[in-house]
Amino acid sequence: MASVETVGVVGAGVMGRGVTIALRQAGFSVILVDRTEEILEGVQRTIAQDARLYTLLSPKTAITGDEVLAGTRLHTDLDAVAKADLVIENATERFTVKRPIYQRLGELVAPGTPIGVNTSAIPITRLGGLTGRPEDVIGTHFMNPVPLKPTVEVIRGRRTSEETIGRMREFVDALGKKSVLVNDSPGFVTNRVMMLTVNEAVFLLHEGVGTAEDIDRLFVECFGHTMGPLETADLIGLDTVLLSIEVLHDEFKDSKYRPCPLLTSMVDAGLHGRKSGRGFFDYEGRGK
Ligand SMILES: NC(=O)c1ccc[n+]([C@@H]2O[C@H](COP(=O)([O-])OP(=O)(O)OC[C@H]3O[C@@H](n4cnc5c(N)ncnc54)[C@H](O)[C@@H]3O)[C@@H](O)[C@H]2O)c1
């Protein structure tokens, strides 16, 4: 698209890395920011592994870790995104983590620069309000793994401008993806349903109604889903699932969103799914 060449990516976890690889596949330059040098060193290794995996699964968009990193500048200072033409924020799913980022982004990037919020459930309107320029802030809910998923849920905050919506949808097109536009509501369309389903599947396991394998098999073999809800939770990260369901619980004040105690306990135990090597299933030795 016309003016976007460099994209600022905030947060280099599961989503920030996936977004970075997808951006590099589409030829954009990236400024990738996370909190510490140590995290950024780990990110370089993980990006190389991820790029190999995505190349294997989708040879048409083959890219090497070196090609991703050659066009990616890594920083620990958020101010590095000041020169970006567009920003995608992917920091931890906690309002207290995102709040200072949005306050600073509002001061940093040039007015009119679209700021995409990649959150699972936090209202876009609330984050937009922190910037002092809510018209530039828009939800861009990428699906995981980003390089393999064809569609992005784009969310119109209450004050997002039509121009920002148009520019972001054009950008998503340039990434080779489609967009579906919805209005702001906690969890949007996808996660309001998805997080409940995942949490309910954890309750089924907690209550001994079925094993993890059998619960997931029913979704795959009876409903034709690519993976069951528990494997999906492992892919998302159980810490992120818990934070997301807690956001929905806080926002709607509805007990249907109370997190299953087994989910909380697994997060306490460091069983975060694929990214930690174990969750409902074991990933040790089979790549993450
Ligand atoms: N995991 C998924 O499947 C998924 C899908 C769509 C959206 N999301 C959303 O994307 C966001 C990121 O999720 P994730 O799964 O990548 O989480 P993650 O825990 O894997 O990564 C979060 C990253 O943010 C970094 N971070 C924290 N504070 C920061 C700061 N001040 N500046 C820069 N970086 C900071 C952390 O160090 C970490 O590397 C969340 O809001 C989540 O809800 C996740």
Side-chain angles (χ1 to χ4, degrees):
M1 64 185 283
S3 54
V4 177
E5 286 175 15
T6 302
V7 179
V9 177
V10 182
V14 171
M15 294 310 284
R17 294 194 304 268
V19 167
T20 297
I21 294 174
L23 286 165
R24 293 293 302 131
Q25 285 171 327
F28 293 100
S29 297
V30 178
I31 301 167
L32 178 60
V33 179
D34 208 305
R35 290 173 299 126
T36 65
E37 292 293 349
E38 203 185 350
I39 293 173
L40 293 177
E41 273 166 34
V43 161
Q44 299 184 53
R45 280 192 301 278
T46 326
I47 279 186
Q49 288 166 9
D50 291 351
R52 266 197 299 278
L53 178 67
Y54 300 140
T55 295
L56 209 68
L57 297 173
S58 174
K60 269 200 297 196
T61 48
I63 193 159
T64 65
D66 285 347
E67 285 165 340
V68 176
L69 293 171
T72 303
R73 281 171 280 160
L74 302 167
H75 289 274
T76 54
D77 185 357
L78 181 62
D79 289 16
V81 304
K83 292 211 170 69
D85 305 312
L86 184 147
V87 175
I88 304 287
E89 176 277 316
N90 320 259
T92 311
E93 182 73 356
R94 274 185 208 281
F95 183 69
T96 48
V97 169
K98 294 197 190 271
R99 181 172 49 206
I101 295 175
Y102 283 86
Q103 287 166 335
R104 186 73 188 124
L105 283 176
E107 298 161 353
L108 269 182
V109 294
T113 305
I115 301 174
V117 187
N118 191 13
T119 170
S120 294
I122 299 173
I124 306 308
T125 307
R126 185 165 315 143
L127 294 171
L130 298 169
T131 60
R133 29 193 284 208
E135 62 279 7
D136 294 339
V137 179
I138 181 165
T140 47
H141 181 213
F142 284 88
M143 305 295 142
N144 178 22
V146 182
L148 303 180
K149 296 290 180 177
T151 303
V152 179
E153 186 179 27
V154 171
I155 304 118
R156 181 204 311 264
R158 205 163 268 279
R159 295 185 58 191
T160 308
S161 71
E162 288 305 314
E163 195 191 339
T164 300
I165 294 170
R167 294 191 67 200
M168 191 53 88
R169 295 191 86 175
E170 214 179 302
F171 167 72
V172 171
D173 275 357
L175 272 180
K177 298 188 188 297
K178 289 175 284 210
S179 56
V180 175
L181 178 66
V182 301
N183 291 322
D184 196 18
S185 175
F188 332 116
V189 170
T190 50
N191 277 340
R192 189 142 150 207
V193 176
M194 184 64 202
M195 292 298 167
L196 261 186
T197 306
V198 165
N199 195 44
E200 206 55 34
V202 185
F203 269 113
L204 287 165
L205 180 66
H206 186 54
E207 291 163 17
V209 179
T211 63
E213 287 76 10
D214 286 346
I215 291 167
D216 270 17
R217 274 187 63 200
L218 287 164
F219 284 82
V220 173
E221 295 176 23
C222 299
F223 294 160
H225 292 189
T226 331
M227 63 173 72
L230 298 174
E231 193 182 350
T232 303
D234 279 353
L235 177 69
I236 296 169
L238 300 196
D239 49 346
T240 301
V241 170
L242 178 61
L243 290 169
S244 307
I245 196 93
E246 284 173 346
V247 169
L248 291 167
H249 194 220
D250 284 353
E251 292 294 331
F252 289 112
K253 312 282 187 260
D254 187 331
S255 64
K256 74 181 174 189
Y257 295 109
R258 80 258 175 256
C260 176
L262 174 61
L263 178 63
T264 311
S265 160
M266 288 182 70
V267 172
D268 288 345
L271 301 171
H272 292 180
R274 270 177 195 265
K275 64 179 162 189
S276 71
R278 244 178 90 196
F280 295 109
F281 300 99
D282 195 347
Y283 303 90
E284 298 290 357
R286 49 167 170 135
K288 293 168 194 166

